[in-house]
């Protein structure tokens, strides 16, 4: 049994759940408040069909066009465990998503880690852990790209490009492309999913994500391989959604 699986499985979840991973170079997609629904998505983590843990992703309105996007996960195998949480605070102003604060915490087997990033629009800077200041070129934090992906897929986009500040305080770029539509049998039930591939240069990892049109293009499955071997498979188990302004 691979003793490193809890770590590799959670690396998978952070790319789209925990954190996938990212945002538009210029915050370029217009987002209207009426399109931004609150939701609660629950997931089960598998490897080779074995249930290893859970993850959740929730969006809630705080009023006055302010929102909280929260992620939690817990994966375990034998005496090894990995728990993670991420919280993004942001606003929607003039149809654009504006990040304000991002928090990350990881505990369990190995070294515990945490990070807080604060985005300052007036100074165009990002303050990392109250110590390091980075220039802010309109990157999103490690989570907010998910909201944009849903909107882009709903508009029929086939290729997506994102820059983000990840949970290590580093600027990263991701490219994604739509490759197919597939019927999925998930703990949640049968769903049609739009299959998206994450494109990485010079990498032996392959990562695929499926988004369901019937659930407002919510992420419903995430699967990763390395050197052709499955590392993890995250599948939707429960989902609910309510309009921000019912």
């Amino acid at each position: 049994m691979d003793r490193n699986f809890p770590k590799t499985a959670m690396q998978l979840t952070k790319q789209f759940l925990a954190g996938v991973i990212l945002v538009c170079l210029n915050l370029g997609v217009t987002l209207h408040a009426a399109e931004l629904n609150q939701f609660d998505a629950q997931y089960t983590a598998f490897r080779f069909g074995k249930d290893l843990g859970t993850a959740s992703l929730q969006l809630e309105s705080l009023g006055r066009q302010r929102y909280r996007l929260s992620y939690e996960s817990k994966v375990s195998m034998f005496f090894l465990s990995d728990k993670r949480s991420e919280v993004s605070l942001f606003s929607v102003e003039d149809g654009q998503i504006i990040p304000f604060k991002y928090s990350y915490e990881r505990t369990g087997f190995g070294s515990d880690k945490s990070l807080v990033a604060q985005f300052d629009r007036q100074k165009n800077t990002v303050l990392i852990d109250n110590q390091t200041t980075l220039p802010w070129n309109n990157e999103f934090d490690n989570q907010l790209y998910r909201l944009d992906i849903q909107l882009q897929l709903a508009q029929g986009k086939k290729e997506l490009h994102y820059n983000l500040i990840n949970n290590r305080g580093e600027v990263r770029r991701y490219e994604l492309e739509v490759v197919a539509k597939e019927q999925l049998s998930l703990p949640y039930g049968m769903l049609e999913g739009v299959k998206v591939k994450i494109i990485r240069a010079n990498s032996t990892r392959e990562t695929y994500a499926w988004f369901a049109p019937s659930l407002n293009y919510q992420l419903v499955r995430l699967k990763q391989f390395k050197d052709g071997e499955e590392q993890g498979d995250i599948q939707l188990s429960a989902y609910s959604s309510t309009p921000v302004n019912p």
Side-chain angles (χ1 to χ4, degrees):
M1 186 68 66
D2 185 354
R3 293 167 61 88
N4 293 322
F5 176 66
K7 178 179 178 180
T8 56
M10 298 317 300
Q11 288 174 340
L12 171 61
T13 63
K14 73 182 180 181
Q15 291 175 27
F16 275 93
L17 300 178
V20 211
I21 350 180
L22 326 164
V23 133
C24 287
L25 291 173
N26 60 357
L27 303 177
V29 174
T30 299
L31 176 67
H32 300 288
E35 297 174 329
L36 193 58
N37 291 335
Q38 300 179 106
F39 64 80
D40 182 344
Q42 303 292 321
Y43 302 85
T44 302
F46 298 93
R47 193 188 192 198
F48 303 130
K50 182 178 180 180
D51 182 343
L52 296 179
T54 61
S56 66
L57 185 64
Q58 300 170 322
L59 176 66
E60 58 183 314
S61 171
L62 304 177
R64 297 187 177 182
Q65 302 295 327
R66 296 182 182 275
Y67 302 86
R68 178 191 291 118
L69 184 63
S70 304
Y71 163 81
E72 291 185 356
S73 65
K74 182 178 181 180
V75 171
S76 62
M77 177 182 289
F78 302 119
F79 60 89
L80 305 178
S81 65
D82 186 298
K83 295 176 66 177
R84 298 181 188 234
S85 66
E86 297 184 69
V87 176
S88 298
L89 300 177
F90 67 98
S91 63
V92 176
E93 302 177 21
D94 297 325
Q96 294 184 334
I97 297 174
I98 309 296
F100 171 64
K101 185 177 181 179
Y102 167 78
S103 303
Y104 166 78
E105 184 175 4
R106 183 266 177 199
T107 60
F109 183 77
S111 301
D112 293 347
K113 297 180 181 180
S114 64
L115 179 136
V116 175
Q118 300 181 71
F119 297 78
D120 190 326
R121 277 201 299 167
Q122 294 184 340
K123 297 180 180 179
N124 288 324
T125 59
V126 183
L127 181 61
I128 306 296
D129 289 334
N130 287 321
Q131 295 179 348
T132 304
T133 300
L134 303 176
W136 182 26
N137 297 309
N138 294 326
E139 297 91 352
F140 278 4
D141 68 27
N142 199 52
Q143 293 202 99
L144 292 178
Y145 77 98
R146 294 181 198 87
L147 303 179
D148 180 66
I149 288 178
Q150 292 178 232
L151 293 174
Q152 296 277 20
L153 293 178
Q155 295 173 18
K157 299 294 180 63
K158 303 298 184 183
E159 297 182 357
L160 307 174
H161 308 275
Y162 293 102
N163 279 8
L164 76 150
I165 295 176
N166 67 15
N167 56 21
R168 294 184 296 275
E170 304 165 338
V171 178
R172 288 291 181 266
R173 179 175 174 83
Y174 278 58
E175 298 184 2
L176 301 87
E177 67 174 3
V178 174
V179 295
K181 286 186 178 181
E182 296 181 349
Q183 291 294 322
L184 304 173
S185 178
L186 307 171
Y188 178 84
M190 293 294 298
L191 289 171
E192 181 183 68
V194 177
K195 185 178 181 180
V196 175
K197 180 180 181 180
I198 300 177
I199 301 172
R200 300 183 182 89
N202 303 318
S203 176
T204 61
R205 287 184 296 162
E206 288 186 289
T207 303
Y208 297 92
W210 289 260
F211 299 84
S214 63
L215 300 181
N216 197 31
Y217 288 89
Q218 181 66 41
L219 173 72
V220 295
R221 188 179 187 184
L222 181 70
K223 192 170 187 179
Q224 182 165 291
F225 300 86
K226 185 174 183 179
D227 297 322
E229 182 177 347
E230 179 183 319
Q231 288 189 298
D233 187 358
I234 311 301
Q235 300 183 21
L236 186 72
S237 58
Y239 177 79
S240 62
S241 178
T242 57
V244 170
N245 298 307

